[in-house]
């Protein structure tokens, strides 16, 4: 039976980034994921914001063209509000290639990545799998998504407030349209969130997301109806891929760590509750998670785990959690039309630009959270 310092369950961006950082600290790290290929089961559009690209090293070849224009449409689709930045604000990544790049980086640091291995529970440090022999792990990192089983097995908090999203992705003719991010506020197709169209230079991404209880005809039907006349969509030039999955929007969970393990990525609720963006949060929180886990395994001092404090992070989300509740309350086309009309004024445009182009979508993990533990 193998024994490892850290087992990471889930080979998404959060899990692979955490594994790489832990392996670089000299720990024996294994990553397990039930997918046989990292190009299968992708659940994110792959939109990276400027702040992430400024702070993290992502190869330019994996990213589409810079996007500066955002168009906000009411349900009528007439007279969208156009917001334009003087900088590239978004780039859409080839996520299969991003995952493979992250896998190679983790393996180069010394981590082992096992695919086609499904987590099947743990007890007293013994982790069971379907498709592989059990492993003894000193510490387990749950990077297994919004409905994390690892979180439940560790007795940590679990996500309760979830959107469900789905999109179709297909190749387009290069240069067919100017890069832009089209967002449609229409509770008939995306209750509590948006419909969107964005392209990465190679593919168009057309999607909807919302609260599943309000999607009376089912998300697949809503997506297909939206895609028929979605603004900004280019004609497919090849096969259509479908993606989808749950999106936690309740904010970072409070209890994220215990002596047996901790949570990262969607499992930790590390998603902006307002915009539902999760790529920037997963990278930032993974850095703190790796530092805390390494220090805890080195010292055995459980007080170190208090630095990975979801409650402290949640305090920085009060405004966005309030706006999430407001957003969730827009349940009629008339209310959505009124909301977009309000964004046409100077104050509305300033607020929208601050949300879409600002640096505060997810707070920095500051020294107060990452600082050393003091003796009593």
């Amino acid at each position: 039976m193998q024994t490892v310092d850290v087992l990471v369950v889930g080979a998404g961006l959060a899990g692979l980034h955490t594994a790489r950082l832990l392996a670089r600290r000299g720990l024996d790290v294994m990553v397990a994921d039930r997918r046989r290929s990292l190009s299968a089961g992708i659940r994110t559009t792959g939109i990276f914001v400027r702040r992430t690209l400024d702070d993290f090293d992502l190869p330019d070849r994996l990213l589409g063209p810079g996007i500066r224009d955002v168009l906000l449409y009411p349900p009528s689709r007439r007279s969208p509000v156009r917001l334009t930045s003087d900088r590239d604000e978004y780039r859409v990544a080839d996520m299969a290639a991003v995952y493979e790049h992250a896998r190679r980086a983790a393996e180069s640091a010394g981590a082992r990545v096992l695919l086609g291995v499904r987590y099947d529970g743990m007890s007293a440090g013994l982790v069971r799998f379907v498709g592989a022999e059990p492993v003894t792990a000193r510490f387990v990192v749950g990077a297994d998504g919004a409905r994390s089983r690892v979180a439940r097995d560790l007795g940590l908090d679990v996500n309760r407030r979830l959107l469900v999203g789905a999109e179709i992705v297909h190749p387009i003719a290069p240069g067919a349209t100017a890069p832009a991010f089209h967002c449609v506020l229409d509770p008939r197709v995306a209750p509590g969130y948006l419909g969107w169209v964005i392209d990465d230079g190679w593919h168009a991404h057309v999607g909807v997301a919302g609260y599943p209880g309000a999607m009376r005809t089912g998300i697949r039907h809503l997506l297909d109806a939206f895609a028929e006349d979605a603004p900004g969509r280019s004609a497919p030039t090849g096969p259509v891929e479908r993606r989808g999955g749950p999106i936690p929007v309740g904010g970072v969970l409070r209890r994220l760590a215990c002596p047996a393990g901790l949570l990262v990525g969607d499992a930790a609720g590390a998603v902006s509750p307002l915009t539902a963006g999760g790529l920037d949060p997963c990278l930032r929180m993974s850095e703190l998670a790796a530092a805390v886990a390494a220090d805890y395994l080195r010292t055995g001092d459980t007080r170190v785990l208090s630095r990975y404090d979801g409650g402290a992070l949640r305090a920085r989300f009060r405004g966005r959690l309030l706006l999430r509740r407001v957003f969730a309350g827009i349940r009629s086309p008339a209310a959505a039309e009124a909301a977009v009309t309000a964004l046409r004024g100077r104050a509305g445009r300033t607020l929208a630009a601050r949300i879409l182009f600002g640096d505060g979508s997810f707070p920095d993990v500051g020294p107060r959270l990452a600082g050393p533990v003091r003796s009593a």
Side-chain angles (χ1 to χ4, degrees):
M1 184 182 301
Q2 294 188 71
T3 299
V4 298
D5 293 320
V6 182
L7 173 71
V8 180
V9 180
L13 194 56
L16 291 169
H17 190 57
T18 305
R20 170 177 168 263
L21 295 172
L22 288 168
R24 286 176 59 185
R25 288 170 165 84
L27 293 167
D28 184 9
V29 182
M30 177 185 291
V31 183
D33 194 290
R34 64 182 179 180
R35 295 175 294 167
R36 295 187 180 277
S37 168
L38 295 183
S39 63
I42 295 174
R43 294 187 172 186
T44 175
T45 299
I47 301 173
F48 284 91
V49 299
R50 171 177 47 80
R51 184 170 174 237
T52 314
L53 299 174
D54 287 346
D55 293 348
F56 296 93
D57 183 21
L58 289 168
D60 192 72
R61 69 181 185 279
L62 306 182
L63 302 166
I67 297 170
R68 300 187 176 196
D69 290 321
V70 177
L71 288 85
L72 303 173
Y73 296 79
S76 65
R77 316 287 173 87
R78 294 192 296 267
S79 302
V81 177
R82 179 184 287 269
L83 301 169
T84 301
S85 174
D86 58 1
R87 301 174 290 186
D88 291 344
E89 295 290 348
Y90 304 99
R91 297 182 72 179
V92 184
D94 176 350
M95 287 307 297
V98 167
Y99 290 142
E100 188 56 40
H101 172 77
R103 174 188 178 177
R104 289 195 301 269
E107 290 177 332
S108 295
R112 287 166 288 163
V113 180
L114 304 181
L115 301 181
V117 175
R118 182 167 62 85
Y119 170 81
D120 194 41
M122 74 176 88
S123 58
L126 180 68
V127 182
R128 302 181 304 278
F129 299 108
V130 175
E133 294 298 315
V135 170
T136 299
R138 296 173 61 199
F139 201 73
V140 177
V141 174
D144 53 333
R147 296 191 175 103
S148 171
R149 178 165 176 192
V150 173
R152 297 178 188 279
D153 290 348
L154 289 174
L156 299 174
D157 287 351
V158 297
N159 293 295
R160 303 291 184 189
R161 298 184 63 191
L162 299 166
L163 302 177
V164 62
E167 70 174 11
I168 56 177
V169 184
H170 58 73
I172 57 174
T177 59
F181 192 176
H182 301 265
C183 301
V184 179
L185 181 60
D186 187 346
R188 294 170 299 185
V189 297
Y193 194 59
L194 299 166
W196 65 87
V197 177
I198 192 169
D199 73 66
D200 58 14
W202 308 289
H203 298 84
H205 298 253
V206 184
V208 298
Y211 290 103
M215 293 181 165
R216 296 175 183 173
T217 59
I219 191 167
R220 182 169 184 138
H221 173 80
L222 292 173
L223 173 58
D224 289 343
F226 174 72
E228 287 180 2
D229 62 351
R233 183 186 180 188
S234 299
T237 60
V240 174
E241 171 195 351
R242 288 184 178 267
R243 299 178 179 178
I247 308 167
V249 289
V252 176
L253 300 174
R254 289 182 172 84
R255 189 161 183 261
L256 298 174
C258 67
L262 55 71
L263 308 176
V264 294
D266 284 6
V271 173
S272 172
L274 179 57
T275 66
L279 296 176
D280 183 77
C282 87
L283 290 171
R284 294 186 191 280
M285 282 193 65
S286 293
E287 301 225 329
L288 176 60
V292 168
D295 284 355
Y296 168 65
L297 290 171
R298 177 178 57 83
T299 65
D301 186 349
T302 58
R303 293 175 300 169
V304 170
L305 299 172
S306 66
R307 288 159 35 194
Y308 197 58
D309 181 4
L313 281 170
R314 285 184 67 85
R316 307 183 188 187
F317 278 101
R318 291 192 183 98
R320 290 171 183 80
L321 287 166
L322 176 60
L323 287 172
R324 161 50 45 196
R325 289 193 287 271
V326 172
F327 204 172
I330 301 175
R331 292 299 179 93
S332 72
E337 290 279 351
V340 176
T341 298
L343 296 177
R344 300 186 196 281
R346 178 179 296 179
R349 293 177 70 89
T350 299
L351 175 62
R354 182 176 179 182
I355 293 170
L356 293 168
F357 300 152
D359 290 334
S361 177
F362 193 84
D364 280 321
V365 177
R368 184 170 62 85
L369 293 179
V373 174
R374 292 183 173 84
S375 299

